[in-house]
Amino acid sequence: MAGAASVAVVATLLAGCSIVLLPDNVAKWEQIAGAQAAGTGEAGDPVATPPLVLDAAGGYLIDATINGQPVRLLVSLRDRGIQLKETAAERLGITEDSSPTSIRLGKKKVPGRYATAEVAIGPVRSSPRIEWYDAEVGAGADGVINIAYLPFSSVTLNLRPSTDADRWSTLPTEDRGGFAVVYRHREGELNIDVRPDLESAQTVLTTSTGAFLAERLGGTWTGPDAMYPIVHGIDRPVRPMAFATPLRVGDFRIDNVLVRLRDYQGDDLLPAYDTGEKEDENTIRVVGETDRTRAAHFLYLGRDVLGRCASITYVRETGELRLLCPPSP
């Protein structure tokens, strides 16, 4: 995979493809994924794994063991690494490392813990970092695992039977500091991180991304504010926006999105919202340093777009997403 990690890295690969993590550091994603891909079998020999195909009827769940105990993990395009529910971590008896971790969602922060543990998926064993949170992680499962983390030559998620109208397209992905499945979309002078997210019913933008695209593509509000689930049980205020000129991401056409109203806005201002009053607080006017969050330009590509596809395949060797979908208008 291309791209420089945005986090400090201290990792050592040892025999048997274990990864030793020092506290307060995150293993570089290529090293984690490489260790999983070149994992070892019971005899300590390298294992070549075939492609993995998962169907929607099965909920995209896989069986694995952590420290020798069985777990069920939801294969995710969005979430990083392996993330467990707190109850699952307690059941497995995982001993946390000395330093805590967290996931930040705009102004919200979800605290968590992490440790290294032995993970076995099929015939492959490795010792990666495991995170767990006091929050909902992987509905119907013990946790989630990123699709790029799986030790298979490719992983396919089947959404529906294919038809003659479907066509293949490819999106290259990059290492973006823990999100292994990120496509960098260039829109004008701006790079936007596109994160596929089958767990989100709709496509969602950060505030700064919404402000930029509203100006560039003629975005207008189409409905009232609402609270929308983002991740780990956190809901954030959003507002629907439509584009006069459609946004094109790869072969996808995007006409309607949800814009997060108070997340990652920097100094960007969203279009005014005509409420009949003189001023609306949701125009995201930065009042002071305590109200400011840095601008971050990313887009969660939801099921309203991805749900049109018959299948989504991650290819480990190239780091590409291959999508089988009907052509966009």
Side-chain angles (χ1 to χ4, degrees):
M1 291 186 190
S6 60
V7 293
V9 175
V10 179
T12 304
L13 296 180
L14 301 177
C17 288
S18 295
I19 300 178
V20 177
L21 300 175
L22 299 182
D24 303 317
N25 289 278
V26 180
K28 192 171 183 179
W29 210 247
E30 294 96 326
Q31 292 177 320
I32 291 178
Q36 287 280 42
T40 60
E42 294 298 326
D45 300 322
V47 174
T49 55
L52 174 68
V53 179
L54 300 171
D55 294 323
Y60 307 129
L61 295 171
I62 65 162
D63 293 315
T65 65
I66 296 179
N67 286 349
Q69 300 183 61
V71 293
R72 300 210 80 192
L73 300 175
L74 172 67
V75 177
S76 172
L77 291 166
R78 176 193 66 195
D79 297 289
R80 70 190 187 195
I82 297 177
Q83 298 179 30
L84 298 176
K85 296 177 181 178
E86 188 172 49
T87 53
E90 291 174 353
R91 174 176 66 83
L92 296 170
I94 300 176
T95 302
E96 66 180 292
D97 288 346
S98 58
S99 300
T101 186
S102 65
I103 292 178
R104 181 170 292 278
L105 303 167
K107 295 181 181 180
K108 297 287 186 178
K109 185 168 71 171
V110 181
R113 286 161 287 171
Y114 71 91
T116 56
E118 183 180 78
V119 177
I121 300 174
V124 178
R125 293 181 294 109
S126 60
S127 297
R129 169 187 175 120
I130 307 290
E131 299 176 357
W132 63 96
Y133 299 88
D134 183 14
E136 180 59 37
V137 181
D142 295 304
V144 297
I145 183 168
N146 188 279
I147 193 171
Y149 204 97
L150 289 165
F152 300 94
S153 58
S154 66
V155 180
T156 296
L157 306 181
N158 284 329
L159 283 69
R160 59 167 174 81
S162 61
T163 70
D164 292 341
D166 294 322
R167 300 290 182 269
W168 286 105
S169 63
T170 300
L171 295 178
T173 68
E174 297 187 10
D175 172 13
R176 298 291 293 156
F179 290 92
V181 182
V182 174
Y183 166 64
R184 300 214 81 191
H185 171 70
R186 185 73 175 180
E187 185 68 27
E189 71 279 10
L190 187 69
N191 285 322
I192 299 173
D193 280 5
V194 176
R195 301 173 182 178
D197 185 4
L198 286 174
E199 295 160 67
S200 177
Q202 294 180 265
T203 295
V204 182
L205 313 180
T206 58
T207 300
S208 54
T209 310
F212 173 80
L213 293 178
E215 182 175 355
R216 178 174 173 81
L217 302 177
T220 56
W221 300 121
T222 59
D225 300 356
M227 299 300 290
Y228 188 79
I230 303 300
V231 68
H232 293 350
I234 297 295
D235 293 342
R236 301 297 293 145
V238 298
R239 186 181 298 154
M241 175 181 285
F243 299 127
T245 300
L247 173 65
R248 296 280 183 172
V249 174
D251 289 341
F252 293 117
R253 167 179 170 155
I254 303 173
D255 295 277
N256 299 277
V257 296
L258 296 178
V259 179
R260 289 161 64 170
L261 294 177
R262 298 179 179 88
D263 290 335
Y264 304 107
Q265 78 266 23
D267 293 322
D268 296 308
L269 297 181
L270 290 166
Y273 188 41
D274 185 7
T275 62
E277 301 177 358
K278 288 185 177 181
E279 183 172 335
D280 175 19
E281 64 175 358
N282 290 335
T283 54
I284 315 300
R285 299 188 182 280
V286 179
V287 177
E289 289 300 320
T290 58
D291 295 320
R292 183 188 299 270
T293 56
R294 65 179 178 82
H297 296 99
F298 59 85
L299 176 157
Y300 286 110
L301 197 62
R303 290 196 310 273
D304 55 334
V305 176
L306 293 175
R308 299 173 57 249
C309 297
S311 66
I312 301 171
T313 299
Y314 177 77
V315 182
R316 174 176 296 283
E317 183 177 1
T318 61
E320 294 175 336
L321 282 180
R322 299 192 67 218
L323 305 115
L324 184 60
C325 319
S328 293

